[in-house]
Amino acid sequence: MSDTVVIRPATTGLCGEVTFPGDKSISHRAVMLAAVAHGTSHIRHCSTGGDNRSTIQALQTLGVDIQQRGDEVTVTGCGWDGLRAPARVIDCGNSGTTMRLLAGLLAARSFTSRLDGDASLRRRPMGRVIVPLRTMGAAIASEGGDDRAPLRIDGRPLHGISYRTPVASAQVKSALVLAGLQAQGCTQIWEPVRSRDHTERLLPAFGGRVTVEDTVVTVEGGQELHACDLEVPGDLSSAAFFIGAALIVPGSELYVRNVGLNPTRTGALDIFRAMGGEITVLHERERYGEPVGDLVVRTSALQGTEIAGEFVVRAIDEFPIIAVVAACARGTTTIRGAEELRVKESDRLHALATSLRALGIEVAELPDGLVITGGRLRGGQGQSFGDHRIAMALSVAGLAGTGEMVLKGVDSVAISFPGFYDLVRELTGPTVTHI
Ligand code: S3P
């Protein structure tokens, strides 16, 4: 299929009932923990996106038997010691989560591994995992230089540390937890703000022990894990594009079923509500340690808002769609304290400022954020910057715009949401054509 789409403004609202693919972050962790557990785990509703395929293939390269049928994954783990020296470089593709978590997992194994990725991943900072892992005794070299991938990891015994992470990052925290579970002694991670806590919530299902007090996570070393069966909730980060679309495309009423509502991930819902978004949560429940529920979202009159502090961490992946929604709100939306967005799959602050301006929106780009003045999105040209979430957010801008948009680089949506355009067509009719 071609890498370019034409998107026409939606002429009807987004109505109906939708279930989203499995959460990407939880799927990574479920498969990794299963791979180092003893026994056979069955993971249902696993993400089938490119990033999760990178994790599965990486673990297969390490000798783990993983069978995938659609969104069902069966993993036969043989414990930490069941991992085998990889015969080739492990390709993490576009996935920061795969590379950073594997760095922690492999640092304590007794063999050498090399981790590499695509051009985007090679640009992303790895010092944030290299520095604390070295303090634990790890031998990790940045072969790309400047703490960038490729990484060479010469596995060796580790010891526990107490570490204050300079940035709130679930990837760093999880890498240290995976290393800490294999280390001698206790590992304690102090975060400035609590980042997503899926690793901590999943570990007990695999028989792991972890304590969480406020923003401090503690694991004891020398733990063995055991297989389990679980079901991954729908990905709120994927749902967010359709929640945003429903808020801004007139006449929408969308029912979202069985979506993850972990409070470390629901920042965008709070932000949309603060802007006047009508979002109702129904049937809140807990599944395998994760809060899930259903949502009803209706088209709303929105006004700009101010976003900073803990909201940035709790909405970290949702800024592309938040920016598009802000472009359709009355008044100004200010995003501050979000410099982390510069080191995601693309420099998202720059990508969003450039893209929204090209669609007729006034945007100021700050070192750590954006100031977006709501207006009328017109059609025009867009590009994804090779970033799946920029591609999906701009597609929503196209649906809510006043004219046709030609958007390049949309292959990237398959990183997290291969069925994205099928769902757009299902909900809005023939608005999207691949050309
Ligand atoms: C993720 C954590 C976040 C997020 C990323 C997925 C994870 O990154 O942006 O898309 O699965 O742990 P950081 O931990 O670097 O903030």
Side-chain angles (χ1 to χ4, degrees):
M1 208 178 284
S2 108
D3 197 22
T4 302
V5 288
V6 175
I7 302 165
R8 286 167 286 278
T11 51
T12 58
L14 288 81
C15 294
E17 201 178 297
V18 196
T19 307
F20 288 91
D23 185 273
K24 179 158 85 75
S25 289
I26 298 175
S27 299
H28 280 300
R29 290 157 169 81
V31 172
M32 279 191 204
L33 292 175
V36 295
H38 292 272
T40 300
S41 298
H42 300 280
I43 304 159
R44 295 187 305 281
H45 203 56
C46 201
S47 166
T48 57
D51 272 4
N52 290 99
R53 205 173 51 240
S54 292
T55 286
I56 288 175
Q57 285 172 354
L59 292 162
Q60 287 169 332
T61 307
L62 290 159
V64 183
D65 179 7
I66 305 180
Q67 307 293 330
Q68 185 170 17
R69 210 177 306 126
D71 64 0
E72 287 204 27
V73 179
T74 303
V75 184
T76 304
C78 299
W80 303 102
D81 291 333
L83 298 183
R84 294 282 160 258
R88 54 179 181 274
V89 174
I90 295 173
D91 182 5
C92 301
N94 190 244
S95 176
T97 308
T98 306
M99 183 170 282
R100 294 193 177 114
L101 270 59
L102 279 183
L105 198 156
L106 293 172
R109 296 296 82 220
S110 57
F111 50 76
T112 294
S113 351
R114 281 197 172 77
L115 304 179
D116 202 355
D118 67 9
S120 154
L121 190 51
R122 280 182 168 203
R123 280 193 297 270
R124 299 183 66 184
M126 293 298 147
R128 54 183 63 192
V129 287
I130 295 175
V131 168
L133 287 171
R134 278 189 188 146
T135 312
M136 295 178 80
I140 306 188
S142 151
E143 293 186 334
D146 193 26
D147 284 344
R148 284 352 192 223
L151 303 180
R152 178 194 160 112
I153 303 172
D154 293 302
R156 58 187 53 182
L158 304 182
H159 53 83
I161 57 167
S162 181
Y163 184 71
R164 263 179 211 280
T165 59
V167 282
S169 162
Q171 295 178 353
V172 174
K173 175 174 60 176
S174 301
L176 298 183
V177 167
L178 289 169
L181 287 167
Q182 308 170 70
Q184 204 171 56
C186 226
T187 297
Q188 201 161 58
I189 305 124
W190 301 59
E191 292 197 284
V193 173
R194 183 184 294 186
S195 63
R196 63 190 67 188
D197 60 359
H198 305 302
T199 308
E200 300 90 299
R201 286 174 183 265
L202 265 184
L203 261 176
F206 287 92
R209 295 178 310 279
V210 57
T211 55
V212 181
E213 276 169 76
D214 195 17
T215 61
V216 186
V217 174
T218 310
V219 281
E220 242 171 73
Q223 294 194 41
E224 291 293 330
L225 305 178
H226 303 287
C228 74
D229 289 351
L230 48 91
E231 185 178 319
V232 179
D235 195 330
L236 183 61
S237 293
S238 298
F241 297 101
F242 289 87
I243 294 170
L247 289 173
I248 60 180
V249 174
S252 301
E253 181 168 322
L254 199 63
Y255 194 98
V256 179
R257 258 194 201 290
N258 205 34
V259 71
L261 293 175
N262 182 315
T264 61
R265 296 283 298 281
T266 50
L269 296 182
D270 295 339
I271 291 165
F272 290 151
R273 282 203 198 94
M275 297 175 83
E278 214 186 302
I279 303 175
T280 313
V281 178
L282 301 171
H283 313 129
E284 261 194 282
R285 52 201 184 267
E286 200 169 294
R287 303 281 288 148
Y288 303 99
E290 287 281 348
V292 298
D294 304 336
L295 301 174
V296 183
V297 187
R298 294 192 183 88
T299 311
S300 308
L302 302 170
Q303 66 269 338
T305 189
E306 303 214 337
I307 306 166
E310 50 127 359
F311 285 98
V312 173
V313 179
R314 293 179 52 239
I316 191 70
D317 289 338
E318 278 61 79
F319 283 96
I321 185 63
I322 289 170
V324 169
V325 169
C328 298
R330 265 167 45 133
T332 299
T333 295
T334 306
I335 301 165
R336 300 303 305 257
E339 57 277 359
E340 270 295 295
L341 296 182
R342 294 206 182 273
V343 290
K344 292 295 178 188
E345 288 83 329
S346 68
D347 174 345
R348 287 185 176 159
L349 295 179
H350 175 69
L352 288 167
T354 312
S355 306
L356 290 177
R357 276 188 207 128
L359 299 174
I361 301 296
E362 198 184 313
V363 185
E365 184 181 339
L366 312 173
D368 66 337
L370 297 172
V371 181
I372 301 165
T373 306
R376 278 197 79 69
L377 279 165
R378 52 167 200 245
Q381 307 274 331
Q383 60 146 315
S384 69
F385 292 79
D387 182 332
H388 56 129
R389 298 200 206 279
I390 298 293
M392 291 186 274
L394 293 182
S395 300
V396 172
L399 295 176
T402 54
E404 209 170 83
M405 183 199 287
V406 177
L407 180 58
K408 293 193 170 136
V410 297
D411 275 1
S412 54
V413 303
I415 283 298
S416 60
F417 198 169
F420 175 76
Y421 286 115
D422 293 333
L423 186 55
V424 169
R425 286 191 197 95
E426 201 180 306
L427 290 170
T428 63
T431 49
V432 182
T433 313
H434 281 80
I435 56 165

